[in-house]
Amino acid sequence: MGELLIKNGIVYDPINGVEGEQMDIAIKDGVVVEEVSPQAEVIDASGMLVFPGGVDIHSHIAGSKVNAGRLLRPEDHYRDPEPKTEYTRSGVGYTVPSIFTIGYRYARMGYTTVIEPATPSLKTRHTHEELDDIPILDKACFPLFGNDLMLLEYIRDGKLEEATGYVAWMLEAVKGYAIKIVNPGGLEAWSWGKNLEGIDDEVPGLGITPREILRTLCTISKMLKLPHPIHVHPNNLGKPGNYETTLKTMDCVADLYEGGKPIIHLTHVQFTGYGGHSWLNLSSKAPEIAKYVNAHPHVSVDLGQVIFGEATTMTADGPFQFILHQMTGNKWVNADVEVETGAGVVPYVYKRSNYVNAVQWAIGLELALEVKDPWRVFLTTDHPNAGPFMEYPRVISWLMSRKAREKVVSKLPRSARRRMNIETMDREYTWTEIAIITRAGTAKSLGLKSKGHLGVGADGDVAVYPINPREVDPAKDYKLVRRAFRNAQWVVKEGEVVVSQGRVVSSLKGKTFWVKPSISSDALEAARQEIKGKFKRYYTVEFENYIVPESFLARPCMLKAEGS
Amino acid sequence: MKFVLVTGTTLSQAQGKEHGKVSPKYKEAVAVCELAEEDMERLGVKPGDPVRVTSPYGSVVVKAVKARDPTPGIAFIPTGIWANAVTAPETSAAGIPSYKCIEVEIEPAPGEKVPDLEELLKQSVGVKG
Amino acid sequence: MPVIQGAVCAFCGCVCDDLEVLVENNEIKDVKYACAIGREKVLNCVKERDPRVLIRENGKFREASLEEALDRAAEILANSKYPLLYGWSNTSCEAIKIGVALAEELGGVIDNTACVCHGPGLEAVHEVGVVEGTLGQARHRADLIVYWGCNPTQAHMRHMMRYSAMSQGIFRSGRKERKVVVVDVRKTTTARLADVFLQVKPGKDYELFQALRMAIRDEEIEAEEVAGIPVEQIEELADMMVSCQVGFLFFGLGLTQSSAKNENIAAAISLIRDLNFKTKWLMLPMRGHHNVTGANKVTLWETGYPFAVDFSHGYPRYNPGETSSTDLLARGEVDAALIVASDPVANMPAQIAKHFAKIPVIDIDPLMTATGLLSDVRIPAAFTGIEAEGTLYRMDGVPLVSKKLVEPPEGILPDKILLQRLLEKVRKLRRR
C-alpha cells in the first residue's frame, strides 16, 4: 500500500474541528498518520477542497429489489452505456446502474462508503453477492425487521428476551449492520393484500400495532448496543397527510431516550412530510417535522431529496408501490418474501411542471434548511427513489445557494409555490455543513469511527475537489460547486489513488461491515436453538443453509457492537 | 396424418439426461413420439413401431409409444435432439424458437431405424472434419 | 458412515436443500428426501462422466492434457472476432461471473439457456412488470393454486409437496385447504390432481388469458368458447380467482415456447396484476435448470441485462431477437463458441444448431453430450453441486450455496477454476 501525502489542500474535517485550514494529510498502509517518509507519493492539492471520503447512509445499490429494478427497466440502460477502460469494467446507468458502474460513479464523486438500507434477510446472501461486486466502495446492509413473522409473534406474546435473541441471531446470521424497519406490520398485512393506516392499527391476525413493533425494536437496538439506531421508513409513506404518522412514529420512542446519540433515524423524510388531504392539496409539512427534530435530540433524519427527471421507485413497502402503480399506471414489480417482508418497484418521472412533484422537491430542501443541527440531517435522494445518486452535487448547490434554489422555484407552478415555504428560507449551507451532511454526520450516525474524518487512525479515504473554497463563493458560483462535486480531482481509498482528474484509475475491493451485537453467548445460543427448532415451520430453506458465513463475503469487516 | 407437435420435459427424459446424452437410457427415453391410442390405430402403428415425423424444418424417425396424457391430434416428443430435428428455428424477435405447437406430418416408417445420437447429429446438424 | 445434512439438490429450479446424502470412501451411497430425478442425479451422474480431455485434429478427437486444451481454447477465443459464450444454467454464480468477464474481454456475446426457456418471461417483465413472491408465500397462504403450461409431477417433482398444492403451511395446510386448477394442452399427470382442469387449444393461451381478464372485469365475452373452453367455464374460473384469499399462479414452458411466447407471459402478468385490484395474487415461473435463475441474476447485476448480452461495442447491449444466441446462430454471425454446462446442439432446433458444425466449439461439461461430440476442444469439469460447491438461486430468487458432497477425480476441476485459467490465458494472448 505504501505512503501518500496530500499536500496543501484546504481541509474540512468537522469531527476534528478543522474548518478550511491549509494542511497536509499523510496516509500510510491505508490509514491516516502523523507523517510519512520523504519517499511517499505526493498529491499537490494546493487551492483545492479536501474532504474525508463521502459516506452515504441510504442508497439502494444492491440486492434483490435493485436487481428487480434493473430487470424492469432495460430502457433505463439503453441510453447510458459505460464502455470498459483499461482500469474499469463496462456497464450501464442510469437510475438503476449495473453493479460496477455504481462503484465507479460514487467514487468519481468522492464517496468511499455507501449503505444499502434494506435487505430481506432470506435474500441477504444475494445482497452480499452484489455488494462484493461493487468496486472501490466500503459498504454495509440493513436487514428488514419490521414484519418478520417470528419476531412479531414474540412481540405479541410479550417475549422481549426471545425477540432480542432473534434480532441478534439474525443480524449475525445474515451479516447485517443495523435494524431496518419498513411500514411496520403493514407488509405482513400486504401478504394478505391489505395494509395498515396508522401506528395504532392492528396487524391482521396478530393483534399488535406498529407502535409496539417500533418500541420493541428500538429497545432491542439499544440493548444490543448497535452502532446505528433503528432506521425507519414509517407507515403511510407517500400518502397526503402522512406527516402526522411520521411525527407519531418519532414520538413513540421519545421516552426510551436516555441522552447521547439519536435512537431513531427517520429516513427519506421528504416522502413522509406531506400535509393536505389529497394529491390536489398536498402541502409541505417539512417545517413541522423540522420543529420536532429541533426539539428532540433522539431523532435524526435524511432527506430523500427529489430530483426532477427519471427515477425508479423501489422499497420494501409493497402496498405503497401498488398504490403508486394504481396512480401512475406505470409498470409494476411486486416481490413478497415469505414470513419476512415485501418489495415493489415502479418507474417514475418527477416533473417540474407537476404540482405534486414541485411540492415534493421543496419538502426535502426545506427540511435540510430548517433542521438546525447538521449532525442529525443527512443528504440522500433515497437513490433511486427520488432521483439518482449522481445528482448529489445538484442538491449540494441548492443547499449552498439561495440563488440556485430560486432559479428552480421561479419555474415551478404558482399553485405549488403557495404550498411550500422554501422562498422564505435564506439559510445557505457552509462547506463545513456540507461535509457534515455527506460524510462526518453520516459516519457518526453509523458509528463508523474510522470514517468521515481525517484524524490520525482514520481510514485513508479522501476526496480532493477541484474548487478553491477560499476563492469561490458557493452562493453565487453554484455551478462551479456542482461541477467540482461531480468529478473529484483525486479520490483516495485506503491510501490508494482510485480517481485522478475525475477518472477511475484503479479498482480495489472494498470492505463489508457487519455488526456482532452485544449479547451474552448463552443468550445467543438459546436464541439459536429456539429459532432452529421452529425454523422448518416458517421457512422453505433449511436453518443451516439460511446462515451466511463470514467466508461468503469477499472482505468482511466485523464490528463489535458497543453502543455510542 | 397431420398432428400438432408438443415437445417438453418428462421424468424419464430428465433421468436419462443425467446418465449422459450418449447413454442408451437417454435414447430410450427421448427418441419416442407419444400418441393417443386412436391416432395410432388410424396411423396403423403399434407401440414400438417406428414413425417418421416431418415438419417444414426437418424430419426424424422415432418410436411410437402410447401417450400417458392422450389427446387425439397432439403428438408429444420429449425435449432432446430427436425432437429438435423438427422444431422451428423462428424466434419471433423474442430469441426463443418454437418448441411447441408445430404442425407436423406423421407416417408409419416400417423397417426404418431410429437413429442413435451420432447418426442423428450427422443427419440433422452436421459433423466436423 | 458420514451423512451430509441439508444437502442442496442441483437438478431443477426447486433447489430442494433438505437432502441427506450418505457418503462412504468418497462415494455417494444413498440419498434421502430427493425426488426421483434428483436421486438419479446425485447417485449416478458421476458414474457417467467422460473424463477425457479431447482436442479435434484433422477432424478426429485425440486425447490431450488439460493445459494443452486450455491453450487451444484460449487461442480459439482470442482469434475469434465475435464469439458466443453460452450455457451457464447448471453452474455456479462464481463461474458465471468469470464468464461475463471473459465475454467482455473478448467483445463477444454471453447468453444463458433462458434464451430457450423462460427468456420470454423476462422480456414480458420489461414490458409490464411482474407480481411475484417467494415459494413460502404459496406454502403458507395460498388457497388457490393455478399451474399453467407446466407439469410439476414430471419436471418439478417435489414442488407440490414442498411449496405449493400439498405443502404444510402456517395458515394453510395440505391439499384439502386449497383449490387447484390446471390449464394445459394435454391432460397431464398434474392435471389429474386438479379440482379444475381446462384443456386449452394448442397455441391459444393468450386468448384465454385475455378472456379471463375480461371476465374478472365483469365484461361480457361475446363468444361461445375461447381457446376451446366454453365461456361459462372461463367465467367460473374467473369467479374462483377473484374470490380466493391468496392465489398463486405457476407457469411453465407451455407458455414461453408456444405461439405468442413473451406476449403469453405479458398477458399472464397482466391478469395477475388485474387480480390484485380485487384480492391477493402472486406468480412465478417454474424455472428448469437449478441455477438458470442465478445466471439471469448475475448477468443482470453485472451488465444491466438478464441474458443475450453483447459486448461487441465495449459495453453491454441487449436486444433479444438480435443479440440472442439462437438468432446469432441462425444468422451464422458468431465465429466461435464456448459452451459451459449446457448442450445447445441437442437443445436448440437443428436448423439453429447447424451453425455449431461450422465454427470452432469449446465444450466444458462433466458429461459427453451432442455438443461435446461436435466440439473442437472438450474439457471435462467437476459436477457443480456434487463435486464442487457454488452459489445458486432458486426459481423464486432465494439464494443458496450447494455443497461439495464428494471430491472430483484427480485432475477434474470445477467450472470456476477452468474458466479463471482460460480467462488468464486469453488475456495473455490478447495483450501480445
Side-chain angles (χ1 to χ4, degrees):
Chain A
M1 278 191 195
E3 299 179 310
L4 181 72
L5 188 66
I6 302 165
K7 270 183 89 78
N8 291 329
I10 299 165
V11 177
Y12 286 83
D13 180 7
I15 287 178
N16 294 302
V18 178
E19 286 197 51
E21 284 172 42
Q22 181 169 320
M23 58 192 281
D24 299 346
I25 307 291
I27 303 171
K28 189 180 176 185
D29 296 333
V31 178
V32 177
V33 291
E34 290 284 0
E35 54 179 10
V36 283
S37 71
Q39 282 77 45
E41 186 188 342
V42 175
I43 282 177
D44 180 5
S46 304
M48 293 196 203
L49 174 71
V50 175
F51 273 7
V55 179
D56 193 342
I57 201 165
H58 190 111
S59 174
H60 299 281
I61 51 172
S64 51
K65 79 183 166 317
V66 180
N67 224 25
R70 294 188 188 103
L71 181 63
L72 182 65
R73 305 207 61 192
E75 78 281 3
D76 186 57
H77 305 147
Y78 293 143
R79 62 212 150 115
D80 188 14
E82 282 262 359
K84 70 171 174 152
T85 71
E86 194 182 336
Y87 306 103
T88 63
R89 300 283 302 269
S90 68
V92 293
Y94 170 73
T95 64
V96 205
S98 55
I99 204 79
F100 309 128
T101 299
I102 288 177
Y104 304 139
R105 288 189 177 179
Y106 259 115
R108 292 208 297 250
M109 298 197 311
Y111 275 78
T112 50
T113 305
V114 181
I115 308 299
E116 163 55 57
T119 176
S121 301
L122 176 60
K123 292 181 172 178
T124 295
R125 194 187 286 278
H126 174 171
T127 309
H128 284 301
E129 269 215 283
E130 286 199 38
L131 290 177
D132 277 348
D133 248 0
I134 297 178
I136 301 169
L137 306 179
D138 288 341
K139 54 259 159 177
C141 60
F142 299 163
L144 291 150
F145 280 102
N147 294 277
D148 287 38
L149 189 56
M150 240 189 250
L151 179 69
L152 298 193
E153 288 175 354
Y154 286 137
I155 296 173
R156 175 195 66 194
D157 300 339
K159 293 181 170 171
L160 180 62
E161 204 177 307
E162 283 83 351
T164 308
Y166 176 86
V167 173
W169 176 82
M170 186 63 90
L171 276 173
E172 193 167 336
V174 304
K175 306 295 173 278
Y177 193 90
I179 296 171
K180 176 68 182 294
I181 303 168
V182 170
N183 189 355
L187 305 186
E188 169 56 24
W190 180 239
S191 279
W192 299 111
K194 301 185 168 74
N195 196 3
L196 304 183
E197 288 184 349
I199 77 162
D200 294 308
D201 277 15
E202 281 192 1
V203 184
L206 285 155
I208 54 168
T209 63
R211 181 187 296 276
E212 290 167 85
I213 298 169
L214 287 159
R215 286 180 61 83
T216 308
L217 282 168
C218 185
T219 304
I220 290 171
S221 181
K222 285 170 60 193
M223 283 174 30
L224 296 176
K225 299 198 164 93
L226 302 183
H228 180 62
I230 54 170
H231 193 103
V232 180
H233 157 150
N235 307 101
N236 282 334
L237 177 133
K239 290 187 202 160
N242 63 10
Y243 82 103
E244 289 181 32
T245 306
T246 307
L247 290 175
K248 281 183 195 162
T249 300
M250 296 192 283
D251 203 50
C252 85
V253 296
D255 62 310
L256 301 176
Y257 185 59
E258 296 164 305
K261 254 175 80 165
I263 56 167
I264 184 170
H265 178 79
L266 262 285
T267 189
H268 40 68
V269 178
Q270 173 276 126
F271 286 114
T272 68
Y274 302 157
H277 303 293
S278 78
W279 294 108
L280 298 174
N281 60 10
L282 184 84
S283 62
S284 167
K285 289 291 178 184
E288 277 76 359
I289 300 214
K291 201 170 126 195
Y292 186 92
V293 173
N294 287 337
H296 295 85
H298 76 282
V299 189
S300 62
V301 296
D302 68 83
L303 303 185
Q305 174 59 39
V306 161
I307 307 292
F308 293 120
E310 291 265 349
T312 301
T313 67
M314 55 172 69
T315 68
D317 198 340
F320 160 69
Q321 297 291 161
F322 178 60
I323 293 169
L324 195 62
H325 161 63
Q326 269 182 298
M327 267 172 49
T328 61
N330 292 347
K331 53 190 179 181
W332 168 49
V333 168
N334 175 82
D336 288 3
V337 180
E338 63 203 52
V339 298
E340 286 185 356
T341 184
V345 187
V346 177
Y348 193 79
V349 182
Y350 294 95
K351 295 185 182 126
R352 209 162 50 189
S353 58
N354 176 297
Y355 164 77
V356 169
N357 298 160
V359 174
Q360 288 177 310
W361 175 83
I363 294 173
L365 292 174
E366 288 179 5
L367 197 83
L369 297 169
E370 289 284 287
V371 171
K372 291 192 184 111
D373 179 3
W375 294 94
R376 291 192 291 121
V377 59
F378 312 124
L379 191 162
T380 67
T381 59
D382 186 18
H383 165 85
N385 279 289
F389 66 80
M390 292 88 78
E391 295 295 347
Y392 287 176
R394 198 180 290 277
V395 184
I396 291 173
S397 71
W398 288 329
L399 292 174
M400 296 189 93
S401 164
R402 189 172 178 181
K403 188 174 148 196
R405 298 196 292 267
E406 275 168 357
K407 202 169 163 217
V408 179
V409 170
S410 68
K411 292 173 186 154
L412 300 179
R414 216 167 277 283
S415 56
R417 287 170 69 172
R418 279 199 295 271
R419 305 267 183 187
M420 56 179 75
N421 317 282
I422 194 162
E423 288 174 80
T424 63
M425 297 177 185
D426 45 22
R427 181 173 169 193
E428 288 174 331
Y429 266 60
T430 63
W431 297 106
T432 294
E433 286 173 329
I434 293 297
I436 293 170
I437 68 165
T438 57
R439 46 264 284 162
T442 45
K444 246 189 156 170
S445 173
L446 290 164
L448 286 170
K449 290 181 178 146
S450 62
K451 298 289 180 194
H453 73 105
L454 296 170
V456 168
D459 288 352
D461 301 352
V462 189
V464 181
Y465 295 104
I467 189 165
N468 188 336
R470 291 181 177 173
E471 285 173 6
V472 173
D473 176 0
K476 223 168 71 202
D477 291 324
Y478 62 88
K479 284 189 179 161
L480 293 179
V481 172
R482 238 176 241 174
R483 200 175 308 152
F485 281 112
R486 272 193 209 291
N487 278 303
Q489 187 74 9
W490 287 285
V491 178
V492 175
K493 173 77 194 334
E494 293 176 67
E496 191 174 328
V497 177
V498 290
V499 171
S500 173
Q501 334 271 330
R503 294 226 170 97
V504 174
V505 293
S506 170
S507 184
L508 49 87
K509 214 172 230 345
K511 294 178 278 224
T512 299
F513 297 106
W514 67 278
V515 166
K516 194 169 171 49
S518 170
I519 186 170
S520 77
S521 51
D522 286 352
L524 187 63
E525 181 54 24
R528 206 184 79 85
Q529 289 303 336
E530 153 104 10
I531 296 162
K532 190 179 176 186
K534 45 204 278 204
F535 203 78
K536 256 186 194 295
R537 177 172 149 79
Y538 292 78
Y539 285 96
T540 53
V541 300
E542 295 295 297
F543 178 78
E544 60 189 279
N545 293 330
Y546 186 95
I547 295 164
V548 182
E550 205 178 23
S551 60
F552 187 78
L553 278 59
R555 217 184 138 196
C557 186
M558 190 260 277
L559 252 73
K560 270 208 163 98
E562 46 195 22
S564 38
Chain B
M1 232 174 95
K2 289 217 180 302
F3 285 85
V4 172
L5 175 69
V6 175
T7 72
T9 51
T10 65
L11 171 56
S12 49
Q13 168 261 338
Q15 285 179 322
K17 188 172 77 178
E18 298 307 332
H19 276 273
K21 297 270 177 88
V22 287
S23 69
K25 193 166 177 177
Y26 179 66
K27 181 181 165 187
E28 193 72 16
V30 304
V32 299
C33 180
E34 294 187 11
L35 294 163
E37 253 178 314
E38 53 258 61
D39 286 339
M40 280 203 195
E41 273 168 31
R42 284 198 287 159
L43 275 170
V45 296
K46 294 190 304 296
D49 286 354
V51 289
R52 176 168 287 280
V53 181
T54 306
S55 78
Y57 318 102
S59 184
V60 68
V61 176
V62 288
K63 202 168 76 179
V65 296
K66 218 168 81 181
R68 267 165 314 182
D69 322 310
T71 303
I74 293 186
F76 179 86
I77 306 183
T79 298
I81 194 164
W82 286 269
N84 282 324
V86 294
T87 51
E90 277 101 39
T91 75
S92 325
I96 194 160
S98 295
Y99 288 100
K100 296 184 194 286
C101 307
I102 301 147
E103 285 184 17
V104 293
E105 180 76 34
I106 296 181
E107 57 200 330
E112 286 196 68
K113 181 175 172 279
V114 177
D116 64 26
L117 179 65
E118 291 192 51
E119 288 163 350
L120 183 62
L121 204 52
K122 251 180 233 169
Q123 273 172 34
S124 66
V125 177
V127 281
K128 285 263 171 73
Chain C
M1 259 194 279
V3 174
I4 299 170
Q5 309 259 358
V8 179
C9 180
F11 177 69
C12 81
C14 286
V15 194
C16 301
D17 72 328
D18 62 341
L19 273 50
E20 275 185 30
V21 180
L22 211 66
V23 176
E24 195 183 43
N25 297 327
N26 202 41
E27 207 178 303
I28 295 169
K29 293 288 183 191
D30 197 12
V31 187
K32 271 193 203 156
Y33 308 124
C35 70
I37 306 172
R39 185 181 162 80
E40 190 77 25
K41 172 156 188 176
V42 177
L43 272 180
N44 292 325
C45 70
V46 300
K47 296 175 192 152
E48 307 292 339
R49 97 160 60 247
D50 187 336
R52 293 173 301 161
V53 180
L54 300 172
I55 291 181
R56 189 178 296 279
E57 236 169 42
N58 306 319
K60 285 210 171 71
F61 276 141
R62 69 160 172 86
E63 289 206 39
S65 72
L66 177 61
E67 204 56 29
E68 195 188 354
L70 285 170
D71 281 335
R72 179 78 195 101
E75 242 170 72
I76 290 172
L77 292 174
N79 290 332
S80 151
K81 291 194 173 60
Y82 195 33
L84 168 66
L85 285 66
Y86 180 85
W88 312 106
S89 307
N90 271 324
T91 190
S92 64
C93 292
E94 289 78 5
I96 297 162
K97 286 178 203 170
I98 301 167
V100 174
L102 185 57
E104 183 188 61
E105 171 74 34
L106 292 164
V109 171
I110 187 160
D111 197 4
N112 50 63
T113 61
C115 181
V116 297
C117 59
H118 278 283
L122 301 169
E123 293 164 37
V125 176
H126 304 331
E127 199 183 321
V128 288
V130 71
V131 191
E132 290 188 343
T134 62
L135 291 162
Q137 288 294 69
R139 178 187 144 196
H140 293 312
R141 304 182 203 255
D143 58 340
L144 174 56
I145 292 174
V146 177
Y147 301 99
W148 195 313
C150 59
N151 192 2
T153 53
Q154 295 281 314
H156 297 88
M157 299 184 72
R158 292 181 75 205
H159 191 282
M160 297 175 96
M161 206 50 127
R162 244 173 98 75
Y163 308 121
S164 55
M166 298 163 209
S167 63
Q168 305 291 323
I170 294 173
F171 307 105
R172 305 265 183 236
S173 196
R175 176 69 182 81
K176 62 184 186 305
E177 293 185 18
R178 317 171 198 264
K179 287 264 184 284
V180 174
V181 175
V182 171
V183 185
D184 208 297
V185 295
R186 300 179 301 142
K187 186 158 188 183
T188 59
T189 39
T190 304
R192 288 177 211 154
L193 303 171
D195 298 295
V196 176
F197 169 57
L198 299 189
Q199 189 158 17
V200 59
K201 266 194 187 156
K204 298 291 175 194
D205 303 270
Y206 180 85
E207 286 84 340
L208 187 52
F209 280 120
Q210 299 299 10
L212 276 167
R213 290 183 68 197
M214 288 179 72
I216 67 161
R217 287 196 301 257
D218 290 328
E219 285 172 26
E220 198 179 327
I221 302 167
E222 289 175 22
E224 295 289 307
E225 56 165 59
V226 176
I229 317 284
V231 165
E232 301 82 71
Q233 249 182 304
I234 295 172
E235 286 170 349
E236 272 167 37
L237 177 57
D239 281 345
M240 271 176 88
M241 293 180 103
V242 168
S243 54
C244 74
Q245 195 176 16
V246 176
F248 215 116
L249 169 72
F250 294 100
F251 67 93
L253 300 182
L255 292 182
T256 61
Q257 293 184 338
S258 68
S259 301
K261 297 175 177 173
N262 49 322
E263 294 308 325
N264 280 335
I265 316 301
I269 296 168
S270 301
L271 170 66
I272 298 304
R273 183 194 59 205
D274 292 356
L275 280 163
N276 272 280
F277 286 77
K278 312 239 175 200
T279 183
K280 175 86 180 181
W281 270 86
L282 299 165
M283 67 192 292
L284 274 179
M286 298 286 259
R287 303 304 301 263
H289 294 304
H290 74 270
N291 198 27
V292 62
T293 307
N296 293 144
K297 287 197 187 286
V298 171
T299 311
L300 181 57
W301 80 61
E302 291 204 334
T303 73
Y305 308 113
F307 68 107
V309 181
D310 173 315
F311 284 104
S312 62
H313 292 216
Y315 56 82
R317 280 176 67 248
Y318 168 72
N319 188 17
E322 179 206 342
T323 60
S324 27
S325 48
T326 44
D327 295 279
L328 291 167
L329 289 161
R331 291 196 304 265
E333 286 188 37
V334 286
D335 62 354
L338 167 69
I339 311 299
V340 178
S342 175
D343 186 14
V345 170
N347 294 339
M348 289 182 181
Q351 292 296 323
I352 290 173
K354 277 199 310 205
H355 191 60
F356 285 118
K358 297 180 189 138
I359 58 172
V361 173
I362 304 148
D363 183 40
I364 300 181
D365 201 302
L367 299 169
M368 180 54 89
T369 64
T371 305
L373 290 172
L374 208 66
S375 65
D376 297 84
V377 180
R378 193 253 163 195
I379 300 172
F383 284 94
T384 303
I386 291 180
E387 299 168 329
E389 67 161 31
T391 308
L392 50 94
Y393 287 76
R394 204 166 70 179
M395 61 169 68
D396 57 354
V398 170
L400 287 157
V401 173
S402 65
K403 296 182 169 74
K404 186 198 260 192
L405 307 172
V406 289
E407 290 294 330
E410 180 139 8
I412 303 281
L413 301 173
D415 296 326
K416 168 174 84 168
I417 294 176
L418 292 170
L419 288 161
Q420 188 58 44
R421 286 175 60 180
L422 185 56
L423 176 62
E424 280 158 19
K425 283 178 188 290
V426 165
R427 283 197 171 138
K428 221 182 247 173
L429 285 175
R430 285 170 53 89
R431 300 267 143 88
R432 250 193 234 150

